[in-house]
Short mmCIF file of all heavy atoms in Angstrom, two decimals:
data_model
loop_
_atom_site.label_atom_id
_atom_site.label_comp_id
_atom_site.label_asym_id
_atom_site.label_seq_id
_atom_site.Cartn_x
_atom_site.Cartn_y
_atom_site.Cartn_z
N PRO A 1 2.49 -0.66 13.27
CA PRO A 1 1.71 -1.84 12.91
C PRO A 1 0.30 -1.49 12.44
O PRO A 1 -0.38 -2.31 11.85
CB PRO A 1 1.66 -2.67 14.20
CG PRO A 1 2.29 -1.87 15.26
CD PRO A 1 2.88 -0.64 14.67
N GLY A 2 -0.14 -0.24 12.65
CA GLY A 2 -1.44 0.21 12.18
C GLY A 2 -1.42 0.69 10.74
O GLY A 2 -2.46 1.05 10.20
N CYS A 3 -0.26 0.69 10.12
CA CYS A 3 -0.15 1.06 8.71
C CYS A 3 -1.08 0.14 7.91
O CYS A 3 -1.19 -1.04 8.21
CB CYS A 3 1.31 0.87 8.27
SG CYS A 3 1.65 1.42 6.59
N PRO A 4 -1.78 0.68 6.90
CA PRO A 4 -2.71 -0.17 6.12
C PRO A 4 -2.02 -1.41 5.55
O PRO A 4 -0.87 -1.34 5.10
CB PRO A 4 -3.18 0.75 5.01
CG PRO A 4 -2.98 2.13 5.53
CD PRO A 4 -1.77 2.06 6.42
N ASP A 5 -2.74 -2.52 5.57
CA ASP A 5 -2.20 -3.78 5.02
C ASP A 5 -1.92 -3.66 3.53
O ASP A 5 -0.95 -4.23 3.03
CB ASP A 5 -3.19 -4.93 5.23
CG ASP A 5 -3.31 -5.36 6.68
OD1 ASP A 5 -2.38 -5.07 7.47
OD2 ASP A 5 -4.32 -5.98 7.02
N VAL A 6 -2.80 -2.95 2.83
CA VAL A 6 -2.64 -2.81 1.37
C VAL A 6 -2.73 -1.34 1.00
O VAL A 6 -3.68 -0.65 1.37
CB VAL A 6 -3.74 -3.60 0.61
CG1 VAL A 6 -3.60 -3.39 -0.90
CG2 VAL A 6 -3.68 -5.09 0.95
N LEU A 7 -1.72 -0.87 0.31
CA LEU A 7 -1.72 0.47 -0.29
C LEU A 7 -1.72 0.21 -1.80
O LEU A 7 -0.76 -0.34 -2.33
CB LEU A 7 -0.50 1.27 0.14
CG LEU A 7 -0.44 1.55 1.63
CD1 LEU A 7 0.92 2.09 2.02
CD2 LEU A 7 -1.53 2.54 2.02
N GLN A 8 -2.79 0.59 -2.46
CA GLN A 8 -2.98 0.18 -3.84
C GLN A 8 -3.03 1.35 -4.80
O GLN A 8 -3.61 2.39 -4.52
CB GLN A 8 -4.29 -0.61 -3.94
CG GLN A 8 -4.42 -1.39 -5.21
CD GLN A 8 -5.40 -2.53 -5.05
OE1 GLN A 8 -6.20 -2.57 -4.13
NE2 GLN A 8 -5.33 -3.47 -5.96
N ASN A 9 -2.38 1.13 -5.95
CA ASN A 9 -2.44 2.04 -7.09
C ASN A 9 -1.94 3.45 -6.79
O ASN A 9 -2.51 4.43 -7.27
CB ASN A 9 -3.85 2.10 -7.67
CG ASN A 9 -4.29 0.77 -8.23
OD1 ASN A 9 -3.48 0.02 -8.76
ND2 ASN A 9 -5.55 0.45 -8.12
N TYR A 10 -0.89 3.57 -6.00
CA TYR A 10 -0.35 4.90 -5.75
C TYR A 10 0.68 5.24 -6.82
O TYR A 10 1.38 4.37 -7.32
CB TYR A 10 0.21 5.04 -4.33
CG TYR A 10 1.31 4.09 -3.95
CD1 TYR A 10 2.65 4.44 -4.15
CD2 TYR A 10 1.03 2.87 -3.35
CE1 TYR A 10 3.67 3.58 -3.77
CE2 TYR A 10 2.04 2.01 -2.98
CZ TYR A 10 3.36 2.37 -3.19
OH TYR A 10 4.36 1.53 -2.83
N PRO A 11 0.74 6.51 -7.23
CA PRO A 11 1.64 6.90 -8.31
C PRO A 11 3.08 7.04 -7.83
O PRO A 11 3.34 7.32 -6.66
CB PRO A 11 1.09 8.26 -8.75
CG PRO A 11 0.44 8.81 -7.52
CD PRO A 11 -0.10 7.61 -6.77
N GLY A 12 3.98 6.83 -8.76
CA GLY A 12 5.40 7.00 -8.49
C GLY A 12 6.15 7.12 -9.79
O GLY A 12 5.53 7.25 -10.87
N HIS A 13 7.46 7.07 -9.70
CA HIS A 13 8.31 7.13 -10.88
C HIS A 13 9.51 6.22 -10.70
O HIS A 13 10.00 6.06 -9.57
CB HIS A 13 8.81 8.56 -11.13
CG HIS A 13 7.75 9.48 -11.60
ND1 HIS A 13 6.92 10.16 -10.74
CD2 HIS A 13 7.37 9.82 -12.86
CE1 HIS A 13 6.07 10.89 -11.46
NE2 HIS A 13 6.32 10.69 -12.73
N PHE A 14 9.97 5.64 -11.78
CA PHE A 14 11.22 4.89 -11.75
C PHE A 14 12.37 5.89 -11.81
O PHE A 14 12.16 7.06 -12.18
CB PHE A 14 11.28 3.91 -12.93
CG PHE A 14 10.27 2.80 -12.81
CD1 PHE A 14 9.15 2.75 -13.63
CD2 PHE A 14 10.43 1.80 -11.86
CE1 PHE A 14 8.22 1.74 -13.52
CE2 PHE A 14 9.51 0.78 -11.73
CZ PHE A 14 8.40 0.74 -12.56
N PRO A 15 13.58 5.49 -11.46
CA PRO A 15 14.71 6.42 -11.46
C PRO A 15 14.93 7.16 -12.78
O PRO A 15 15.41 8.29 -12.78
CB PRO A 15 15.91 5.53 -11.12
CG PRO A 15 15.32 4.41 -10.33
CD PRO A 15 13.96 4.18 -10.95
N ASP A 16 14.55 6.54 -13.89
CA ASP A 16 14.75 7.20 -15.20
C ASP A 16 13.59 8.12 -15.58
O ASP A 16 13.55 8.68 -16.67
CB ASP A 16 14.98 6.17 -16.29
CG ASP A 16 13.80 5.24 -16.53
OD1 ASP A 16 12.73 5.44 -15.90
OD2 ASP A 16 13.94 4.31 -17.34
N GLY A 17 12.62 8.30 -14.67
CA GLY A 17 11.53 9.24 -14.90
C GLY A 17 10.24 8.61 -15.41
O GLY A 17 9.20 9.27 -15.44
N ARG A 18 10.28 7.34 -15.83
CA ARG A 18 9.04 6.71 -16.30
C ARG A 18 8.01 6.65 -15.17
O ARG A 18 8.36 6.36 -14.04
CB ARG A 18 9.31 5.28 -16.79
CG ARG A 18 10.03 5.22 -18.11
CD ARG A 18 10.39 3.79 -18.45
NE ARG A 18 11.35 3.32 -17.45
CZ ARG A 18 11.48 2.06 -17.06
NH1 ARG A 18 10.73 1.11 -17.59
NH2 ARG A 18 12.37 1.72 -16.15
N PRO A 19 6.75 6.90 -15.51
CA PRO A 19 5.71 6.84 -14.48
C PRO A 19 5.43 5.39 -14.06
O PRO A 19 5.52 4.47 -14.88
CB PRO A 19 4.49 7.46 -15.16
CG PRO A 19 4.71 7.21 -16.62
CD PRO A 19 6.21 7.26 -16.82
N ALA A 20 5.10 5.24 -12.80
CA ALA A 20 4.79 3.92 -12.26
C ALA A 20 3.50 4.00 -11.45
O ALA A 20 3.14 5.06 -10.94
CB ALA A 20 5.92 3.43 -11.37
N LYS A 21 2.83 2.87 -11.37
CA LYS A 21 1.70 2.71 -10.46
C LYS A 21 2.09 1.54 -9.56
O LYS A 21 2.52 0.50 -10.05
CB LYS A 21 0.42 2.42 -11.22
CG LYS A 21 -0.77 2.27 -10.32
CD LYS A 21 -2.12 2.35 -11.00
CE LYS A 21 -2.32 1.45 -12.16
NZ LYS A 21 -3.72 1.40 -12.61
N SER A 22 1.96 1.73 -8.27
CA SER A 22 2.47 0.73 -7.33
C SER A 22 1.40 0.26 -6.36
O SER A 22 0.46 0.98 -6.03
CB SER A 22 3.63 1.31 -6.53
OG SER A 22 4.70 1.67 -7.39
N THR A 23 1.60 -0.97 -5.90
CA THR A 23 0.78 -1.55 -4.85
C THR A 23 1.72 -2.24 -3.87
O THR A 23 2.65 -2.93 -4.29
CB THR A 23 -0.23 -2.56 -5.41
OG1 THR A 23 -1.18 -1.85 -6.22
CG2 THR A 23 -0.97 -3.31 -4.32
N SER A 24 1.49 -2.02 -2.59
CA SER A 24 2.31 -2.63 -1.54
C SER A 24 1.40 -3.39 -0.60
O SER A 24 0.44 -2.84 -0.07
CB SER A 24 3.08 -1.53 -0.79
OG SER A 24 3.84 -2.10 0.26
N ILE A 25 1.74 -4.66 -0.39
CA ILE A 25 0.93 -5.55 0.45
C ILE A 25 1.78 -5.93 1.66
O ILE A 25 2.82 -6.59 1.52
CB ILE A 25 0.53 -6.82 -0.32
CG1 ILE A 25 -0.20 -6.43 -1.61
CG2 ILE A 25 -0.31 -7.74 0.56
CD1 ILE A 25 -0.19 -7.52 -2.67
N GLY A 26 1.36 -5.50 2.84
CA GLY A 26 2.08 -5.84 4.06
C GLY A 26 1.73 -7.25 4.50
O GLY A 26 0.59 -7.70 4.38
N ILE A 27 2.74 -7.95 4.99
CA ILE A 27 2.56 -9.32 5.48
C ILE A 27 2.89 -9.33 6.97
O ILE A 27 4.02 -9.00 7.35
CB ILE A 27 3.45 -10.30 4.70
CG1 ILE A 27 3.08 -10.26 3.20
CG2 ILE A 27 3.34 -11.72 5.27
CD1 ILE A 27 4.06 -10.98 2.30
N LYS A 28 1.91 -9.69 7.77
CA LYS A 28 2.09 -9.73 9.23
C LYS A 28 2.26 -11.17 9.70
O LYS A 28 1.71 -12.11 9.10
CB LYS A 28 0.88 -9.11 9.93
CG LYS A 28 0.76 -7.62 9.75
CD LYS A 28 -0.43 -7.09 10.53
CE LYS A 28 -0.55 -5.59 10.40
NZ LYS A 28 -1.73 -5.07 11.13
N ASN A 29 2.97 -11.31 10.80
CA ASN A 29 3.12 -12.62 11.41
C ASN A 29 1.99 -12.85 12.42
O ASN A 29 1.10 -12.01 12.57
CB ASN A 29 4.51 -12.79 12.04
CG ASN A 29 4.76 -11.85 13.19
OD1 ASN A 29 3.87 -11.14 13.66
ND2 ASN A 29 6.00 -11.85 13.67
N ARG A 30 2.07 -13.96 13.10
CA ARG A 30 1.04 -14.34 14.06
C ARG A 30 0.85 -13.28 15.16
O ARG A 30 -0.25 -13.09 15.67
CB ARG A 30 1.42 -15.68 14.69
CG ARG A 30 0.41 -16.22 15.67
CD ARG A 30 0.93 -17.48 16.35
NE ARG A 30 1.27 -18.50 15.40
CZ ARG A 30 0.52 -19.58 15.14
NH1 ARG A 30 -0.61 -19.75 15.78
NH2 ARG A 30 0.89 -20.47 14.26
N GLU A 31 1.94 -12.59 15.51
CA GLU A 31 1.88 -11.57 16.55
C GLU A 31 1.32 -10.23 16.05
O GLU A 31 1.20 -9.28 16.81
CB GLU A 31 3.27 -11.33 17.16
CG GLU A 31 3.76 -12.49 18.02
CD GLU A 31 4.33 -13.63 17.17
OE1 GLU A 31 4.95 -13.36 16.14
OE2 GLU A 31 4.12 -14.80 17.55
N GLY A 32 1.02 -10.14 14.75
CA GLY A 32 0.49 -8.90 14.19
C GLY A 32 1.54 -7.88 13.82
O GLY A 32 1.23 -6.72 13.59
N ARG A 33 2.80 -8.31 13.75
CA ARG A 33 3.91 -7.43 13.39
C ARG A 33 4.23 -7.61 11.91
O ARG A 33 4.30 -8.73 11.40
CB ARG A 33 5.13 -7.78 14.24
CG ARG A 33 6.32 -6.89 14.05
CD ARG A 33 7.44 -7.21 15.04
NE ARG A 33 7.78 -8.62 15.11
CZ ARG A 33 8.69 -9.21 14.35
NH1 ARG A 33 9.37 -8.53 13.46
NH2 ARG A 33 8.94 -10.49 14.49
N TYR A 34 4.43 -6.49 11.19
CA TYR A 34 4.83 -6.59 9.78
C TYR A 34 6.22 -7.19 9.69
O TYR A 34 7.16 -6.69 10.31
CB TYR A 34 4.84 -5.21 9.12
CG TYR A 34 3.47 -4.69 8.75
CD1 TYR A 34 2.93 -3.59 9.38
CD2 TYR A 34 2.74 -5.32 7.76
CE1 TYR A 34 1.67 -3.12 9.04
CE2 TYR A 34 1.47 -4.85 7.41
CZ TYR A 34 0.95 -3.76 8.05
OH TYR A 34 -0.29 -3.31 7.71
N ILE A 35 6.32 -8.27 8.93
CA ILE A 35 7.63 -8.89 8.72
C ILE A 35 8.08 -8.77 7.27
O ILE A 35 9.25 -8.97 6.96
CB ILE A 35 7.65 -10.37 9.14
CG1 ILE A 35 6.62 -11.18 8.34
CG2 ILE A 35 7.44 -10.50 10.63
CD1 ILE A 35 6.83 -12.67 8.40
N ALA A 36 7.14 -8.44 6.38
CA ALA A 36 7.47 -8.36 4.95
C ALA A 36 6.48 -7.48 4.22
O ALA A 36 5.41 -7.15 4.74
CB ALA A 36 7.46 -9.76 4.33
N ALA A 37 6.89 -7.09 3.03
CA ALA A 37 5.99 -6.38 2.12
C ALA A 37 6.25 -6.90 0.72
O ALA A 37 7.40 -7.03 0.29
CB ALA A 37 6.22 -4.89 2.19
N LEU A 38 5.18 -7.21 0.03
CA LEU A 38 5.25 -7.64 -1.36
C LEU A 38 4.78 -6.45 -2.20
O LEU A 38 3.64 -5.99 -2.04
CB LEU A 38 4.34 -8.85 -1.60
CG LEU A 38 4.39 -9.48 -2.97
CD1 LEU A 38 5.78 -10.02 -3.28
CD2 LEU A 38 3.36 -10.59 -3.08
#
């Protein structure tokens, strides 16, 4: 649950090799537990 809420602009690749830039936004519930990521 201490994982950063937002990880922004990290590099990656799609399966076909194209470069990607990604952002992951964690969504926590009232109890502070991650229930989703956008």
Side-chain angles (χ1 to χ4, degrees):
C3 185
D5 289 340
V6 177
L7 296 169
Q8 195 158 17
N9 296 327
Y10 59 91
H13 289 86
F14 292 108
D16 63 5
R18 287 174 295 151
K21 181 164 53 169
S22 299
T23 294
S24 178
I25 304 159
I27 300 169
K28 290 182 178 179
N29 65 8
R30 182 186 303 256
E31 289 80 36
R33 184 174 50 89
Y34 282 113
I35 60 164
L38 185 63

